[in-house]
Amino acid sequence: MTKKRPRYYLYHILVGGFAILLLYPVIWLFVSSFKESGDIFITAGSLIPNPFTLLNYAQGWEGFGGYGFGTFIKNTLVFVIWMLLGHLISCSLIAYGFARLKFVGRGFWFMIMLVTLMLPYEVVMIPQYIIFSELGWLNSLKPLVVPAFFGHPFFIFLLVQFIRTIPRELDEAATIDGANTFQIFYKVILPLIVPALATTAIFTFYWTWDNLLGPVLYLNSPEKYTVSMALNMFLSNETVSNWGAMFAMSIVTLVPVFVIFFIFQRYVVEGISTTGLKG
Amino acid sequence: MSSRLRSNLWGYLFIGPFIIGFLAFTIVPMLASLYFSFTEYGLFDAPKWIGFENYIKMFTEDPRYINSLKVTIIYVFAGVPLRLAFALLVAMLLNVGSRAVGWYRTLYYLPSLIGGSVAVAIMWRNIFGDDGIVNLALKSMGIDSIRWFGEPTAALWMLIFLSIWQFGSSMLIFLAGLKSIPASFYEAASVDGANFFQKFFRITLPMLSPVLLFNIIMQTISAFMTFVPAFIISKGTGGPLDGTLLYSLYLFKQGFEYFNMGYASAMAWVMLLIVAILTGIIFLTSKYWVHYESEGK
C-alpha cells in the first residue's frame, strides 16, 4: 500500500486534471452568464464574476419578438411529451412483435429496420417536407411528432434486444392462464422492460430537446419556436450582441439535460454501452 | 381461423406501425427524392425532367459543391479517427479498479451529452472567438492571437476539434468492451514477458475489434451528416469562404434557401451512395482486422 501511494495520486491528478480541462468550456460558460455583459470578454480569463449579476438571466428570459423564453421552454416541453408518447407506445409494440411473435417475413422486416438505421435523413428530408406541406402541416409540430408514432429503429432494436433476455416461460405460463397475445405484451412484457423504456425515454428527451434541423424546417412563427431555435435566433440577432443574455439562456437550456443525466445516469450509460446510442 | 394465420395476424398487427411508417416516411420519400434528383424543381412550379443534369452540374459546374465534399471528407477522415483514438485512450485510462472511475466516466461523458445543442456551439464560438479565452491565454504567453474562425482551414479544424471533444459515447462503448476482456489474458502475457505495447496490439486491439468496427461505422455515418455545429458556428453561411460548408449544410441551403429541390435531392442521393460505399468498404476490409471469438465463452 505504501508503494502504491505515489502512483495513485499521480493517476488522479492526471485523470482528474484532464476532466477539469475538458469541462473548462462549460464552467466558463456558466460563470460568464453571471458576469456583466460588457465584462465577459474583458475578464474572460477569470472564473469569478465580479460584480456578480443576474441581469443576464432577467434579460434573456424576456426573449424576443414579444415572446418570453418561458414560451420557448413550454413549446419544447410539448414537443418532448409528444415524442415520448410516440416512441414509447410504438417502439414497445413493434419490438414485442419482432422479439416474440412468429410471422412470415419477420426476418425481412427486421433487416429493413436495421438498414433504415443507417439511412441519412437528408435522403428523405425534401420529399417529407413537400408531403407535409401538401398536408398543410407546416408551422406545426405534426411533421415532427407524427412520424414518432411509427417507431424509431434505434429504440426498437434496443427493446428487441432487451425483450430477448426475458425467459419465454413467462409468456407460456400466461398463455396457459388464458391470456391472449396483447395481454401477454401488456401484462407480462411491458412491466419487465421498464428499464429499457427508461433509456428510450431519456434519449428521446435529449434528441428532441437538442433538435434544431426539424424545428428550423417546419416551424416559422416565433410563438412556436423551441429553445434550440430561440438560441439560434439570439445568435442571428447579434447586432446588439447581448452575449450575457445568450449565455444565460444557454445555461437555462442545459440545466434540464444535466439534471436528467444525473438522476438517470445508469440508464444513459447502459443504453450507450449496449447499443451505441447517440453519435 | 388457423393458428398459423392467427400468429401472422398478431405479428403484423404489432409491427404494423413500423411498416406503415417505413412506407410513408421512408420508401415513398426515397422514391420521390430519386425522381426529383432528375428534375429541376423549385418547389413553386412542377418538377421538370432534366435527366442527369443535376449530377453532372455537381461535379463539373459547381465549385462550392466540390468544396463542400472536400471539407466534409477532411472533417470525417480527420475527426473520426482522432475522436476514436482519444476515446480508446481515455477508456484504457479508466479501465482500472478504482471507485472514482464512475465519476470520471460521468465527467468525460458530459461534453458528448450536451454536444448536439445550440448552446454548446455558441460557447465554442466564443471560446475561440477573437477575444475569447484561448486567445487571451495565448496573449499571456506572448503569442499573437489567432483568428480561429476567420480563416477557412482554421475554422474547419475548430469544428473537428469540437467533434473530438465529444468522444464520450465511443469511450463508454470501448470501456464496456475492455471490461469484457478476461484479465487472465493479460496475466498470461505478463508471464510470457510481454510489454505494454505487445499486450495492446496482441490482446486489447484484437479483442476490441468488433466494438471498433461498430464505432467506426456509426461515427463515420453520423460525422458525414453533421449539420448543427457548422450551421450555428458559421451562422448558417458555412463561412468563412465556405470553409465550414459541410455537405449537409450545403444540401440544406440548396434545398431551403435557394429552393433548388431537385439539385438538393441529387446531392442527397450522392450522399447516400458515398455513405453506402464507405460502409461497404469498412465491412469488406473488416474480415482482415476484426477478430471474432469462434468458440464462445
Side-chain angles (χ1 to χ4, degrees), chain A residues 66-270:
Chain A
Y67 299 101
F69 211 79
T71 308
F72 307 133
I73 290 185
K74 199 199 79 202
N75 292 341
T76 317
L77 282 177
V78 172
F79 183 21
V80 167
I81 289 168
W82 278 111
M83 290 299 287
L84 282 174
L85 275 177
H87 279 167
L88 290 176
I89 296 171
S90 65
C91 296
S92 59
L93 285 168
I94 297 164
Y96 175 74
F98 277 129
R100 278 296 205 260
L101 304 179
K102 285 199 181 77
F103 51 90
V104 179
R106 182 175 70 171
F108 169 77
W109 288 110
F110 195 67
M111 197 195 69
I112 291 281
M113 193 201 71
L114 292 180
V115 170
T116 55
L117 260 180
M118 300 193 184
L119 195 74
Y121 173 63
E122 279 76 0
V123 182
V124 294
M125 179 170 83
I126 287 166
Q128 273 192 8
Y129 181 86
I130 293 163
I131 293 169
F132 293 133
S133 130
E134 292 290 320
L135 289 172
W137 285 6
L138 296 193
N139 203 22
S140 81
L141 278 180
K142 280 186 222 157
L144 302 171
V145 302
V146 169
F149 284 84
F150 296 89
H152 185 292
F154 251 132
F155 300 129
I156 297 172
F157 183 67
L158 174 87
L159 293 167
V160 166
Q161 296 295 84
F162 200 85
I163 293 173
R164 281 181 178 158
T165 64
I166 299 168
R168 272 181 186 272
E169 285 78 8
L170 290 176
D171 302 32
E172 283 153 17
T175 315
I176 293 163
D177 290 345
N180 67 29
T181 308
F182 185 76
Q183 286 167 327
I184 296 173
F185 162 72
Y186 190 69
K187 294 194 172 146
V188 180
I189 300 294
L190 212 51
L192 291 172
I193 60 170
V194 167
L197 290 175
T199 304
T200 303
I202 292 159
F203 278 98
T204 298
F205 169 82
Y206 286 149
W207 293 349
T208 311
W209 190 262
D210 280 350
N211 191 346
L212 179 69
L213 184 53
V216 161
L217 280 179
Y218 289 109
L219 306 175
N220 44 44
S221 52
E223 86 257 19
K224 292 182 175 160
Y225 278 10
T226 61
V227 286
S228 293
M229 287 180 87
L231 283 181
N232 184 35
M233 278 305 290
F234 265 114
L235 192 66
S236 12
N237 286 346
E238 201 213 331
T239 37
V240 244
S241 71
N242 189 346
W243 290 108
M246 199 199 302
F247 285 5
M249 290 308 104
S250 295
I251 292 295
V252 168
T253 66
L254 291 179
V255 166
V257 174
F258 282 127
V259 169
I260 292 201
F261 180 63
F262 283 111
I263 298 174
F264 299 105
Q265 219 206 96
R266 197 167 64 91
Y267 298 115
V268 178
V269 170
E270 273 170 20

Side-chain angles (χ1 to χ4, degrees), chain B residues 6-20:
Chain B
R6 201 159 56 205
S7 76
N8 273 328
L9 213 63
W10 274 115
Y12 279 93
L13 210 59
F14 273 90
I15 70 155
F18 171 73
I19 296 175
I20 296 168

Side-chain angles (χ1 to χ4, degrees), chain B residues 92 194-201 204:
Chain B
M92 285 170 65
N195 64 28
F196 171 81
F197 291 100
Q198 285 166 326
K199 283 185 208 162
F200 178 75
F201 286 106
T204 312

